[in-house]
Amino acid sequence: MGGVGVVLLVLVAGAFICAKARSAAGAALFTVVAAVVFVATPVGQGVPGAVATFMSAFDQAATPALNRTPAEHAATEGGVG
């Protein structure tokens, strides 16, 4: 796994070079491949779970506003507050 860091560095450099050369497709391809390689490493294995948690929290916050229903409050009726 020692060579993964070098591969990631080359992929990020390739994305940067493509972006500076105004090659959007090349930069996007290098970036996607770098993300896939990063997620495959032990350090990046928590990224999909973190993204899923963030999207779930965002969905729970946005759904009441989009459905025009009042949001649930932490304090209930008759409780301390």
Side-chain angles (χ1 to χ4, degrees):
M1 273 294 211
V4 174
V6 175
V7 171
L8 283 171
L9 182 64
V10 169
L11 288 170
V12 169
F16 181 75
I17 291 168
C18 286
K20 288 295 266 182
R22 299 182 189 251
S23 172
L29 179 68
F30 273 108
T31 303
V32 168
V33 172
V36 169
V37 170
F38 178 72
V39 169
T41 64
V43 173
Q45 286 180 350
V47 172
V51 171
T53 301
F54 174 77
M55 295 302 286
S56 175
F58 186 80
D59 180 48
Q60 289 175 358
T63 299
L66 295 174
N67 291 338
R68 296 182 185 207
T69 58
E72 296 179 19
H73 297 295
T76 60
E77 291 182 357
V80 178

